[in-house]
Amino acid sequence: MSQIHALSDDQVAGELKKMTAFIRQEAMEKANEIRLKADEEFAIEKSKLVRQEQASIDSSYEKKFKQASMSQQITRSTVANKSRLRILSARQELLNRLFEDAEKKLGQVSKDKKKYQAVMKDLILEGAYALNEDKLQVKVRKADNDLTKKAIDEAQTEYKNKMGKDVSITIDESDPLPEGSAGGCMIVGTGGRIDINNTFQERLKLLESQALPSIRVTLFGENDNRKFHD
């Protein structure tokens, strides 16, 4: 029968030291494992937070950049539009002055009687050809009556030569043009129901309307933004 030998105090102390050392080693290894795990998780979380903040900063910067770019575009567009409007306004003022000066000079045309009579004849003929009637009346300034009678004689002769028939043209002295007008005439037909306004002021208005595009090109050049031309 085997015998159980009791451990001496020194043996017990030795065994306790071994157990304590083992437990301490286990605890240190576990603590080291926990620390490594914590460092790893910290690094992962830190990297995640850094990426999130970086993405947030990039998004904020991109948004601000777009806003700044849009603001810059709006500013450029506003400045360009204001500049364009100033140019258009200046051009229109120049055109207005041009036609105002032309209107002021209309009155000088009638001062040269010979040229004025020739112009009056052509104006009367133009109305006669357009109305194509046997009897017509013309309205002129009282001061132009004598000159107009000579122009009528020339117009009637030329009309007959070209149209092969006579036309009777008389001056309507009961309703003359205002003395303040620049000159020219009105040709009236169909018993007063139809008239052609060939006064200088009216012809200038027609010129302003019809010739304005070519005048613009002459003064300012071709419009690069215009796609179609008449």
Side-chain angles (χ1 to χ4, degrees):
M1 185 175 182
S2 61
Q3 294 180 351
I4 299 174
H5 299 284
L7 297 175
S8 64
D9 290 341
D10 291 337
Q11 289 176 327
V12 171
E15 289 297 325
L16 287 174
K17 285 181 180 180
K18 290 179 182 179
M19 292 179 63
T20 301
F22 176 78
I23 293 171
R24 183 182 294 111
Q25 183 64 32
E26 285 286 322
M28 290 177 65
E29 291 178 357
K30 190 65 177 177
N32 189 49
E33 182 181 343
I34 293 172
R35 184 167 55 253
L36 291 174
K37 184 67 174 176
D39 290 343
E40 182 182 354
E41 292 180 353
F42 172 77
I44 293 173
E45 187 65 22
K46 178 182 176 181
S47 178
K48 179 180 177 182
L49 291 173
V50 168
R51 286 197 302 271
Q52 289 177 346
E53 288 301 316
Q54 188 176 14
S56 177
I57 292 172
D58 289 344
S59 177
S60 177
Y61 175 79
E62 184 178 358
K63 183 178 180 181
K64 289 180 179 180
F65 178 80
K66 288 182 179 179
Q67 290 175 342
S69 178
M70 181 64 69
S71 177
Q72 191 176 39
Q73 289 178 5
I74 293 173
T75 300
R76 282 201 300 265
S77 178
T78 301
V79 171
N81 286 336
K82 287 183 178 180
S83 177
R84 179 173 175 272
L85 288 174
R86 283 197 297 268
I87 293 172
L88 290 176
S89 178
R91 287 183 175 182
Q92 189 59 47
E93 288 179 5
L94 176 60
L95 289 171
N96 291 340
R97 287 199 303 270
L98 178 68
F99 285 108
E100 286 172 3
D101 291 342
E103 186 172 3
K104 291 177 182 177
K105 292 180 180 179
L106 285 178
Q108 298 177 8
V109 177
S110 60
K111 292 181 179 180
D112 187 331
K113 300 301 181 181
K114 187 176 181 179
K115 289 183 178 180
Y116 185 37
Q117 181 176 319
V119 171
M120 187 70 79
K121 181 205 73 173
D122 290 338
L123 294 176
I124 293 171
L125 269 175
E126 183 179 286
Y129 291 141
L131 294 173
N132 192 25
E133 297 182 13
D134 296 333
K135 293 183 179 181
L136 298 171
Q137 283 189 314
V138 294
K139 296 180 180 181
V140 296
R141 300 179 303 186
K142 284 184 178 181
D144 295 336
N145 280 354
D146 292 339
L147 178 146
T148 302
K149 289 176 183 178
K150 296 177 183 179
I152 287 174
D153 290 339
E154 294 175 354
Q156 289 178 143
T157 299
E158 187 170 331
Y159 185 88
K160 184 175 182 179
N161 291 336
K162 291 187 176 182
M163 300 298 289
K165 62 179 182 178
D166 292 321
V167 58
S168 174
I169 305 173
T170 58
I171 298 174
D172 183 3
E173 298 187 17
S174 65
D175 187 21
L177 296 180
E179 290 302 315
S181 65
C185 63
M186 291 184 67
I187 302 93
V188 183
T190 320
R193 292 192 296 273
I194 299 177
D195 62 65
I196 294 176
N197 191 338
N198 264 350
T199 61
F200 286 168
Q201 283 95 339
E202 188 64 23
R203 296 304 292 257
L204 181 61
K205 288 181 182 177
L206 290 174
L207 176 65
E208 183 176 354
S209 173
Q210 296 175 1
L212 188 58
S214 60
I215 292 175
R216 287 183 185 276
V217 171
T218 300
L219 292 176
F220 313 121
E222 289 284 356
N223 185 352
D224 296 333
N225 295 322
R226 187 174 181 183
K227 296 181 179 180
F228 304 101
H229 298 272
D230 297 333

